[in-house]
Amino acid sequence: MADKAALFFLVLVCLVVKALSIEARYTIVSDDPAPSTKVWDGTALLKVRQRLHEGDKRLQIALDSLVESADSLMSKGKNWTVMAKKHTPPSGSKHDYESAATYYWPCNSPDFQPPPQECNVTTGLPWVPHDGHANRAAISEFDSLPMKEMTAAVTTLSLSYFFTRNESHSAKAVQLLYQWFLDPETRMNPNLEFTSLRPGITNGSSSGIIAMHVWVLLTDSIRLLSSSDAFPQSYQDSLKSWFSQQFVDWFMHSKNGKRESYARNNHGTWYDAQLMSYALLGNNTAVAKQVAEQVAEKRIDTQIEPDGEMPYEEARPNSKTYCNFNLQGMLNVACLSLHSGINLWNYTSKDGRSIKKAIDFILPFIMNTTKPWPHTEINKNFTWERYFEVLQRAWNQYGEEKYAMAIRSLHNVSPDDIVHLVYPDLTSEKASFVPPDRTVLGSSYFVFEGAKWSTMFFNPVDEDTLRITPSD
């Protein structure tokens, strides 16, 4: 009995020490105004911070994980720059972003036996598509991985700064932003001319633009940092110019940018989300409104069927993943369009097509995992927990119990997923939040030089070439 009492006392002491050490690392502030974020709801973020200040234990789990991740980033990022890649783009300048096509492989790869007729078996040229199978070795040679590392880190650090006002975290985020976008020695030129290169075919294509979908949230991260003493106004102005003037101009007028705007599937969705988010960062409201006004007819009416199916995503070999990816983009577009006075959350076409209908189509499969998914999914590690973000945002927007029920059916949602902080469930009695004593499936979550995100940074990069024929 004495041994058990001693053990209990030791455990109690350890828990108290850990709690005190966590509390000593940061202070949760509660008296600042709501941030001017565009995808994340600034008012909701402020309510989360207030609840943390009041001791909300559910949210505290996610915040502790966020702060620990931010702390771990303080010594990282030296090589997160376009200048670190081994290859020099055809322009002759490493300042130009360059990436390899995710699903393209040398034609002499083992999966292609016998090789295609046009294949040079010695050089492996031309590269050929192998949809759903990422060529990670090729990806690592270029800029996409450090770009995602930088983006995840800045987002993690900026959120930690917002909730705790830790200036060292904001200073690190600003340093990473300066290094990638502004430093004359390391800055990226505002173009994507050499994305998704395919050796033996092309030095770049429009389909690689979608890799920058993570920058939609990066623009909100920049807004969260705007009140930091470590973020000079000159840096803020330069970043706004980089995104809302130079990058937007490239998006709208370059050959690759124009071509991507005609994409029928998730490419088109995320093109709109990117263009609006970049434009709004510098208050380029005319461009943002121009895009928002076309979304209903150009994206929702063409991508979503009256019953909610998304045929362009369902045709992919990893269809569950791509349906989720497109829905995330649609929800971001809906949030951004509100800032142009256009409500896409409640838009329904004459024959019943809507964002809500697309979410509702997925619900029966999430709530009854024995119900067979009628499309191909080659990812054996896929779990429906990846839809947590979409379901949480639907619950917050529509308030219908079916979304809360679907969330509660996800038995492996991690209590420290960042979604709990940025798309919070602020209901009190009918909370959709999954209790933290459930087992977490690691395959549903990704830690990538930052906090734990349920696929927010890690949806696959689509490489198909399905396009709308330009009217001009």
Side-chain angles (χ1 to χ4, degrees), residues 58 395 404 408 425-434:
R58 297 184 309 163
W395 164 246
R408 286 194 288 267
D425 176 6
L426 296 174
T427 59
S428 55
E429 296 183 322
K430 293 168 64 175
S432 60
F433 182 80
V434 177

Side-chain angles (χ1 to χ4, degrees), residues 108-142:
N108 59 0
S109 298
D111 285 352
F112 307 118
Q113 295 300 329
Q117 185 175 358
E118 69 276 13
C119 181
N120 183 323
V121 295
T122 302
T123 64
L125 298 177
W127 284 21
V128 293
H130 194 14
D131 193 18
H133 300 269
N135 186 343
R136 303 190 185 282
I139 294 170
S140 65
E141 294 291 315
F142 299 96

Side-chain angles (χ1 to χ4, degrees), residues 400-414:
E400 296 181 16
E401 180 64 20
K402 60 186 176 183
Y403 301 118
M405 292 175 62
I407 292 170
R408 286 194 288 267
S409 71
L410 302 176
H411 297 299
N412 297 293
V413 169
S414 173

Side-chain angles (χ1 to χ4, degrees), residues 2-20:
D3 290 342
K4 288 184 178 180
L7 179 60
F8 174 79
F9 179 75
L10 180 60
V11 170
L12 181 61
V13 168
C14 290
L15 291 173
V16 171
V17 169
K18 181 179 180 181
L20 291 174

Side-chain angles (χ1 to χ4, degrees), residues 124-418:
L125 298 177
W127 284 21
V128 293
H130 194 14
D131 193 18
H133 300 269
N135 186 343
R136 303 190 185 282
I139 294 170
S140 65
E141 294 291 315
F142 299 96
D143 291 322
S144 59
L145 289 183
M147 181 274 292
K148 287 190 175 183
E149 288 173 325
M150 177 277 296
T151 304
V154 170
T155 308
T156 297
L157 291 159
S158 68
L159 284 166
S160 179
Y161 166 72
F162 171 76
F163 289 117
T164 70
R165 283 303 184 256
N166 184 328
E167 285 286 345
S168 66
H169 288 173
S170 63
K172 180 63 178 181
V174 171
Q175 177 219 321
L176 295 173
L177 288 168
Y178 179 78
Q179 179 174 278
W180 189 276
F181 295 104
L182 304 179
D183 187 336
E185 298 297 320
T186 59
R187 73 189 298 268
M188 171 186 161
N189 289 332
N191 72 75
L192 297 173
E193 292 293 339
F194 306 109
T195 63
S196 194
L197 66 88
R198 299 157 191 185
I201 303 174
T202 178
N203 288 326
S205 69
S206 61
S207 60
I209 291 173
I210 199 170
M212 269 57 186
H213 73 274
V214 293
W215 283 2
V216 172
L217 295 183
L218 185 68
T219 60
D220 267 357
S221 299
I222 292 170
R223 293 184 179 93
L224 292 182
L225 294 166
S226 63
S227 62
S228 171
D229 293 337
F231 201 4
Q233 189 61 49
S234 60
Y235 286 14
Q236 297 186 43
D237 293 342
S238 295
L239 278 169
K240 289 176 182 178
S241 174
W242 195 99
F243 278 103
S244 68
Q245 296 177 30
Q246 301 168 60
F247 206 35
V248 162
D249 182 71
W250 184 89
F251 253 71
M252 297 182 70
H253 301 116
S254 68
K255 178 181 177 181
N256 281 351
K258 287 181 177 179
R259 187 168 187 269
E260 187 73 349
S261 73
Y262 297 122
R264 290 179 182 267
N265 59 354
N266 63 81
H267 276 262
T269 302
W270 282 103
Y271 175 91
D272 287 354
Q274 288 189 65
L275 187 51
M276 279 194 283
S277 66
Y278 303 154
L280 288 172
L281 183 63
N283 294 317
N284 191 344
T285 55
V287 167
K289 186 173 183 179
Q290 176 184 336
V291 176
E293 288 175 338
Q294 300 178 33
V295 171
E297 180 179 358
K298 192 174 181 180
R299 308 301 181 198
I300 298 175
D301 289 0
T302 61
Q303 293 188 35
I304 301 172
E305 294 296 298
D307 65 354
E309 291 205 59
M310 293 180 283
Y312 298 129
E313 312 311 324
E314 293 163 354
R316 302 304 300 276
N318 38 3
S319 58
K320 293 178 183 176
T321 304
Y322 272 105
C323 286
N324 181 42
F325 186 38
N326 196 43
L327 282 173
Q328 287 179 320
M330 287 279 186
L331 298 189
N332 288 344
V333 166
C335 288
L336 292 161
S337 295
L338 289 175
H339 299 283
S340 296
I342 297 172
N343 187 342
L344 296 173
W345 288 99
N346 296 324
Y347 166 79
T348 303
S349 68
K350 292 181 180 180
D351 60 353
R353 304 166 194 260
S354 69
I355 294 174
K356 187 173 183 291
K357 187 69 71 68
I359 299 172
D360 289 350
F361 175 81
I362 303 291
L363 292 184
F365 303 98
I366 294 176
M367 298 177 71
N368 179 9
T369 55
T370 63
K371 183 179 176 65
W373 177 251
H375 309 288
T376 303
E377 178 56 62
I378 64 174
N379 184 355
K380 296 179 180 179
N381 293 322
F382 178 89
T383 68
W384 288 111
E385 276 73 14
R386 295 192 181 187
Y387 278 76
F388 175 45
E389 177 196 325
V390 167
L391 295 173
Q392 186 64 58
R393 296 173 75 176
W395 164 246
N396 290 341
Q397 178 65 32
Y398 300 114
E400 296 181 16
E401 180 64 20
K402 60 186 176 183
Y403 301 118
M405 292 175 62
I407 292 170
R408 286 194 288 267
S409 71
L410 302 176
H411 297 299
N412 297 293
V413 169
S414 173
D416 59 351
D417 193 307
I418 202 71

